[in-house]
Amino acid sequence: MKEPLHKNKIARQGVVISGAYGLENAGDDDTLRGILEALRRIDESLSVTVIAHRPKRTARRFQVTARGLWNIPGWLLAMNRASLFISGGGSLLQDVTSRRSLWFYLFAIRMAKRTGCAVELYGCGVGPIQGEKARQKTVECLNQYADVISVRDQASLDTLTVWGVTKPRLLLGADPALYLTPRIGNRKQQIGFALRPWPGFWIHVPDFAQAARYAWRRYNLAPVFYIFAPEDKTAVQSVLAELEDVPYGICQAGMRFERMNVMVSIRLHGLIFALRAGIPSAGVSYDPKVDSFCREAGLPFLSLEDVTGEALCDLIDQALDLDGETLSRSLSQLRERERTNSRTAAQLLAGEDP
């Protein structure tokens, strides 16, 4: 393990976590919940500080100490006392949604190491990073300041290798949200849709409406639209405007999820929620992370740019053909991989070299 650039005289204990938390995104919330449950199984008395967009909300919801993104003195103080810094989970190392967020997460990694923490990137997704300079800076930071990187899919592992990340240990894990135990309930003749606004989505609104009508008329499955983040409401409303006489429901993500017979999701965590509950699902990919998850879980998917009404209807047929044994086997394999994340954290907390 790399020597810290600064050592404190006091005994270190606890963990600092940095990620896209506090934004009312159900997928990110589940990611954090999975990390916290894993850490508490390691040591239920472990002190945890989370760097979050909305620290009061995060502290209240997860029963942790939280510091705001720009309360840099606050989270530096926590780093000075902690033994482990966790970056992740989620797709933090990318610049598609924001270049500024990439710089922030790299800055947090650098400062954690400089204040003496062991540094683990925990079940994270990697890329895409479009700018060559940004990619070089990312590789430099990871090679100098990270101890271990556990990624959530093979594509992320391959990306790090191609980029030239060689100093930290690279491990294949899985998304931390897979750690959680799902609610089990009775199916209610429903099909779930998890949509999100994204460039290219809007021209396919009629196609998603066609797919919802198809599920209702062919399989007697009433469509239920799940809201994973506040911005999803605009995407959902646009489809509802075209549904005519088809009955539908709208739910916050996670609520009554176990009632679905099948799920069609643009959101990665819509697919993760479904797999956890043993629900057949299919992905509509706007990002490589969705492709990767579907391939590794054995789920049918198509790219957002290839969407047509007929293609979505065929995707529903393919998802309904999935059998429970296949889904259970995929979940077991991914959960076993996910344990890599927490095993590594336990070793770093114990001062061991993973």
Side-chain angles (χ1 to χ4, degrees), residues 191 193 195 201-219 221-223 225 236 238-246 264 306-317:
I191 179 172
F193 286 89
L195 309 177
F201 167 78
W202 304 105
I203 63 172
H204 298 301
V205 166
D207 300 319
F208 283 98
Q210 180 180 336
R213 285 194 298 271
Y214 173 78
W216 171 245
R217 293 168 181 169
R218 172 73 185 273
Y219 295 108
L221 297 175
F225 295 85
V236 168
S238 68
V239 174
L240 296 184
E242 304 215 8
L243 274 191
E244 302 166 350
D245 59 344
V246 176
V264 175
D306 295 329
V307 162
T308 64
E310 292 75 16
L312 286 174
C313 294
D314 183 60
L315 203 63
I316 292 170
D317 294 338

Side-chain angles (χ1 to χ4, degrees), residues 73-349:
W75 49 260
L76 283 177
L77 179 61
M79 287 176 176
N80 270 290
R81 296 171 175 171
S83 57
L84 174 63
F85 173 76
I86 286 174
S87 178
S91 298
L92 305 183
L93 301 182
Q94 52 84 22
D95 63 359
V96 175
T97 56
S98 170
R99 180 70 56 82
R100 289 185 302 172
S101 68
L102 173 64
W103 297 140
F104 175 83
Y105 293 124
L106 294 177
F107 173 69
I109 289 169
R110 183 166 66 249
M111 296 312 298
K113 194 62 182 177
R114 291 180 66 86
T115 54
C117 295
V119 173
E120 177 185 4
L121 279 70
Y122 192 110
C124 62
V126 178
I129 296 180
Q130 299 172 329
E132 181 60 31
K133 181 179 179 181
R135 215 162 27 242
Q136 290 175 355
K137 291 293 185 183
T138 300
V139 172
E140 290 171 6
C141 178
L142 297 179
N143 277 333
Q144 187 170 358
Y145 298 111
D147 293 297
V148 182
I149 302 175
S150 64
V151 295
R152 67 185 177 193
D153 52 59
Q154 183 65 47
S156 293
L157 193 63
D158 294 341
T159 296
L160 290 174
T161 302
V162 169
W163 285 355
V165 176
T166 57
K167 298 296 178 63
R169 185 170 183 187
L170 304 181
L171 302 171
L172 180 60
D175 194 290
L178 289 161
Y179 186 90
L180 301 173
T181 302
R183 290 194 301 254
I184 302 299
N186 296 324
R187 303 289 190 253
K188 294 291 184 179
Q189 284 300 111
Q190 295 174 345
I191 179 172
F193 286 89
L195 309 177
R196 69 167 296 170
W198 194 258
F201 167 78
W202 304 105
I203 63 172
H204 298 301
V205 166
D207 300 319
F208 283 98
Q210 180 180 336
R213 285 194 298 271
Y214 173 78
W216 171 245
R217 293 168 181 169
R218 172 73 185 273
Y219 295 108
N220 196 32
L221 297 175
V224 176
F225 295 85
Y226 285 90
I227 307 297
F228 273 76
E231 63 266 25
D232 294 355
K233 294 176 183 177
T234 58
V236 168
Q237 290 296 337
S238 68
V239 174
L240 296 184
E242 304 215 8
L243 274 191
E244 302 166 350
D245 59 344
V246 176
Y248 63 82
I250 303 175
C251 278
Q252 294 297 314
M255 293 180 61
R256 299 191 292 276
F257 211 86
E258 66 279 3
R259 296 184 179 183
M260 296 299 103
N261 285 71
V262 64
M263 185 78 190
V264 175
S265 184
I266 298 177
R267 289 276 185 189
L268 171 64
H269 281 88
L271 300 169
I272 290 174
F273 280 31
L275 185 64
R276 278 193 335 223
I279 297 168
S281 61
V284 177
S285 179
Y286 72 99
D287 185 280
K289 65 186 179 184
V290 179
D291 298 52
S292 295
F293 182 81
C294 288
R295 288 193 182 98
E296 294 183 356
L299 304 177
F301 71 98
L302 65 112
S303 298
L304 181 59
E305 62 188 18
D306 295 329
V307 162
T308 64
E310 292 75 16
L312 286 174
C313 294
D314 183 60
L315 203 63
I316 292 170
D317 294 338
Q318 292 178 55
L320 285 168
D321 283 340
L322 292 170
D323 64 272
E325 183 178 342
T326 298
L327 295 172
S328 178
R329 184 166 56 249
S330 295
L331 179 60
S332 296
Q333 291 170 348
L334 288 171
R335 276 188 164 160
E336 180 56 38
R337 268 179 31 191
E338 197 284 329
R339 293 187 184 97
T340 300
N341 306 328
S342 55
R343 281 196 295 263
T344 302
Q347 291 168 328
L348 291 171
L349 284 166

